[in-house]
Amino acid sequence: MTDKIEREFLGFGLGLRTKHFEYILQHQPDIDWFEILSENYMVAGGKPRYYLQAISEQYPLVMHGVSLSIGSADPLDMDYLRALKTLANDVEPKWISDHICWTGIHGINSHDLLPLPYTMETVRHVAERISRVQDFLGRQILMENVSSYLSYQDSEMDEWTFVSEVAKASDSLILLDINNVYVSARNHGFEPMDYLNRIDPARVQQFHLAGHSDYGDYVIDTHDHDVPDSVWDLYRQALVRFGAVSTMIERDANIPEFPVLEAELGIARDIATQVLSPNQLSIADLARNRGVKSCLA
Amino acid sequence: MPGLKYTQNTVMQYLLQPDAGARESLAELVVDQGNVSLETRMGIYANAYRIRLKEVIETDHEQLCFYLGDELFERMADEFIAASPSQNRSLRGFCEPLPEFLAEDEFFSQYPILADIARFERRLLTAFDAADTNREEFAALAALPPEQWPAVCLRFHPSVQLFRCASNAVETWQALKQGLEVPGADYSGWRYWLIWRGRSRLTEFISLQPWQLVLVEAVIAGENFAGLCELMLDFFDESQAPAQVFESLKAWFEMGLIRSLVVSD
Ligand SMILES: [Fe+2]
């Protein structure tokens, strides 16, 4: 079933972090692509933009945002969208993503990815806004499932139904965060595979992997640890269900040296090699232009 | 059903001020899922909100935080976070009102150097991600025919900024940064600094003498070379003034401060 899906497979990527800028330029590590945090580059110039430019000449990039606040009852922030579009014009990312959540209300920003009530009212609200964002950007976007610690009484459906309905109603794609599925499953007591089995493979364009902090009764999505076995196991099952999906590891705190993350990404690669055929894992010869000398030089 | 707006308002009120009333209002909207208490579930969000904002203060105002020490940092962070909810879509802007908070807060305003250090750190951040432009070389000025010199105006690189304060905030910042002994607060007079991002993309700064301040301000105001020389007559005699201007401009080119030169009509 997964064979029929025509999805662009970028291979195995990492989040681009300031700390690794210099290393990446010097060593040109064998990473298939990088994900950038859009907001970090919405500045006029300076170091981040300089490195972004240099790295974008050698690696495919995708843009990942945290400020769209797609589920907020506030109006869409058009200044933000304009800045996003401007950045996208500069970066030419493979795709753009953000989160199915809200981050603020009445102009006040929590800077957190807060959960939404899973109601039809919210599905309509979120889907309508995603459609407007897609129209504005002139492209389909990816929306990511967030991890959560509480549920609202007025929720009418499971999270996976909500995520699926939003994607369908807005004709958007899904960035499936495997760690977030695991974290929410633990916090709300559902089976993570129940979640994955209800997500339409045709909608899934990217995976996130990350570590978390396990407090026994609950789990917090901290992105400051290695990817644990529980998440690797779920990743393995996700590959079985979804096939080859561009995969990256998110590390936002307690960030190790680059080779450590590179080795961790090797685990993802190994698991995918065990689960999928070489054919499925072949990366289109897209922008793997590392080391290619310009003919004009 | 409470509706999206009401739900979001209730969550936000709780994050901003997790007191008993806000907790109760939120608890009414949230499912009691047994194994983990509502208190814990809601608390995860309230904690995360504060931790995240504290980290921004620590990152953007590292030396200020060292200067304050742990206890006063906690006090400042708690009070600033409560007084100044983020209205910025980027965390980068969260501490924008911090200098003003420090200058106006009853307790912290007793130590004016705090607001000065915070202001200085904000200027460094502004210089850090200011726009990139070309930088002009001194050769471009030297190549102009002498009769055009009086009419030459300079344009600074977008990262160039002036910083003035009535304390030894910058000297204190430097001592903290280098791990040296921190001087006592000194409010004996005005001090002037020039901040910019150099060619290597490092943020740099130098102190300015009063005459250099006048020169920088005049360039920003669009004064031409002849005008600059005239202004320098307040500080130097007629035979020295043009040479002073010339030497300053030459140094500025070398420091990467000059974006372009324009010959006015
Ligand atoms: Fe994620």
Side-chain angles (χ1 to χ4, degrees), chain A residues 64 99 144-145 175 177 180 208 223 250:
Chain A
H64 185 52
H99 301 81
E144 176 181 351
N145 58 303
L175 194 178
D177 188 313
N180 288 350
H208 270 172
H223 293 191
E250 291 186 291

mmCIF file of all heavy atoms in Angstrom, chain A residues 64 99 144-145 175 177 180 208 223 250, ligand 1:
data_model
loop_
_atom_site.group_PDB
_atom_site.id
_atom_site.type_symbol
_atom_site.label_atom_id
_atom_site.label_comp_id
_atom_site.label_asym_id
_atom_site.label_seq_id
_atom_site.Cartn_x
_atom_site.Cartn_y
_atom_site.Cartn_z
ATOM 1 N N HIS A 64 11.114 24.936 9.491
ATOM 2 C CA HIS A 64 10.212 24.483 10.550
ATOM 3 C C HIS A 64 9.944 25.666 11.479
ATOM 4 O O HIS A 64 10.884 26.247 12.012
ATOM 5 C CB HIS A 64 10.902 23.341 11.303
ATOM 6 C CG HIS A 64 10.062 22.689 12.344
ATOM 7 N ND1 HIS A 64 8.797 22.205 12.093
ATOM 8 C CD2 HIS A 64 10.310 22.411 13.655
ATOM 9 C CE1 HIS A 64 8.310 21.663 13.211
ATOM 10 N NE2 HIS A 64 9.205 21.787 14.161
ATOM 11 N N HIS A 99 3.179 23.712 13.668
ATOM 12 C CA HIS A 99 2.551 22.768 14.597
ATOM 13 C C HIS A 99 1.041 22.962 14.709
ATOM 14 O O HIS A 99 0.549 24.085 14.624
ATOM 15 C CB HIS A 99 3.162 22.930 15.993
ATOM 16 C CG HIS A 99 4.633 22.707 16.017
ATOM 17 N ND1 HIS A 99 5.520 23.688 15.643
ATOM 18 C CD2 HIS A 99 5.374 21.614 16.320
ATOM 19 C CE1 HIS A 99 6.754 23.210 15.743
ATOM 20 N NE2 HIS A 99 6.694 21.957 16.150
ATOM 21 N N GLU A 144 2.591 19.601 12.269
ATOM 22 C CA GLU A 144 3.118 18.578 13.189
ATOM 23 C C GLU A 144 2.214 18.368 14.404
ATOM 24 O O GLU A 144 1.705 19.329 14.982
ATOM 25 C CB GLU A 144 4.513 19.009 13.656
ATOM 26 C CG GLU A 144 5.110 18.061 14.682
ATOM 27 C CD GLU A 144 6.490 18.484 15.175
ATOM 28 O OE1 GLU A 144 7.078 19.434 14.609
ATOM 29 O OE2 GLU A 144 6.974 17.863 16.138
ATOM 30 N N ASN A 145 2.085 17.121 14.810
ATOM 31 C CA ASN A 145 1.415 16.792 16.066
ATOM 32 C C ASN A 145 2.315 17.202 17.232
ATOM 33 O O ASN A 145 3.521 16.961 17.193
ATOM 34 C CB ASN A 145 1.148 15.283 16.138
ATOM 35 C CG ASN A 145 2.432 14.467 16.022
ATOM 36 O OD1 ASN A 145 3.168 14.592 15.040
ATOM 37 N ND2 ASN A 145 2.719 13.648 17.020
ATOM 38 N N LEU A 175 3.562 16.335 9.456
ATOM 39 C CA LEU A 175 4.889 16.064 9.979
ATOM 40 C C LEU A 175 4.625 15.254 11.242
ATOM 41 O O LEU A 175 4.136 15.797 12.238
ATOM 42 C CB LEU A 175 5.627 17.373 10.306
ATOM 43 C CG LEU A 175 7.132 17.318 10.551
ATOM 44 C CD1 LEU A 175 7.666 18.733 10.817
ATOM 45 C CD2 LEU A 175 7.563 16.406 11.653
ATOM 46 N N ASP A 177 5.587 13.571 14.427
ATOM 47 C CA ASP A 177 6.645 13.502 15.425
ATOM 48 C C ASP A 177 6.436 12.227 16.236
ATOM 49 O O ASP A 177 5.493 12.118 17.015
ATOM 50 C CB ASP A 177 6.628 14.742 16.320
ATOM 51 C CG ASP A 177 7.833 14.781 17.244
ATOM 52 O OD1 ASP A 177 8.133 13.744 17.864
ATOM 53 O OD2 ASP A 177 8.468 15.846 17.363
ATOM 54 N N ASN A 180 6.615 12.703 19.938
ATOM 55 C CA ASN A 180 5.417 13.341 20.492
ATOM 56 C C ASN A 180 4.265 12.349 20.621
ATOM 57 O O ASN A 180 3.489 12.418 21.578
ATOM 58 C CB ASN A 180 4.983 14.532 19.633
ATOM 59 C CG ASN A 180 5.935 15.714 19.774
ATOM 60 O OD1 ASN A 180 6.804 15.704 20.638
ATOM 61 N ND2 ASN A 180 5.776 16.714 18.922
ATOM 62 N N HIS A 208 9.722 13.378 12.808
ATOM 63 C CA HIS A 208 10.638 13.901 13.813
ATOM 64 C C HIS A 208 10.943 12.792 14.806
ATOM 65 O O HIS A 208 10.050 12.039 15.183
ATOM 66 C CB HIS A 208 9.993 15.048 14.616
ATOM 67 C CG HIS A 208 10.225 16.397 14.033
ATOM 68 N ND1 HIS A 208 9.589 17.521 14.526
ATOM 69 C CD2 HIS A 208 11.019 16.819 13.021
ATOM 70 C CE1 HIS A 208 9.986 18.575 13.824
ATOM 71 N NE2 HIS A 208 10.846 18.181 12.905
ATOM 72 N N HIS A 223 13.502 17.311 24.466
ATOM 73 C CA HIS A 223 14.495 17.407 23.377
ATOM 74 C C HIS A 223 15.914 17.622 23.893
ATOM 75 O O HIS A 223 16.718 18.266 23.243
ATOM 76 C CB HIS A 223 14.144 18.560 22.416
ATOM 77 C CG HIS A 223 12.891 18.320 21.643
ATOM 78 N ND1 HIS A 223 12.509 19.108 20.586
ATOM 79 C CD2 HIS A 223 11.931 17.384 21.758
ATOM 80 C CE1 HIS A 223 11.362 18.669 20.103
ATOM 81 N NE2 HIS A 223 10.987 17.624 20.805
ATOM 82 N N GLU A 250 15.573 15.914 16.316
ATOM 83 C CA GLU A 250 15.513 17.251 16.916
ATOM 84 C C GLU A 250 16.274 17.232 18.235
ATOM 85 O O GLU A 250 15.965 16.452 19.114
ATOM 86 C CB GLU A 250 14.067 17.603 17.261
ATOM 87 C CG GLU A 250 13.146 17.838 16.114
ATOM 88 C CD GLU A 250 11.777 18.315 16.627
ATOM 89 O OE1 GLU A 250 11.076 17.491 17.261
ATOM 90 O OE2 GLU A 250 11.436 19.476 16.397
HETATM 91 FE FE FE C 1 8.878 17.828 16.626
#
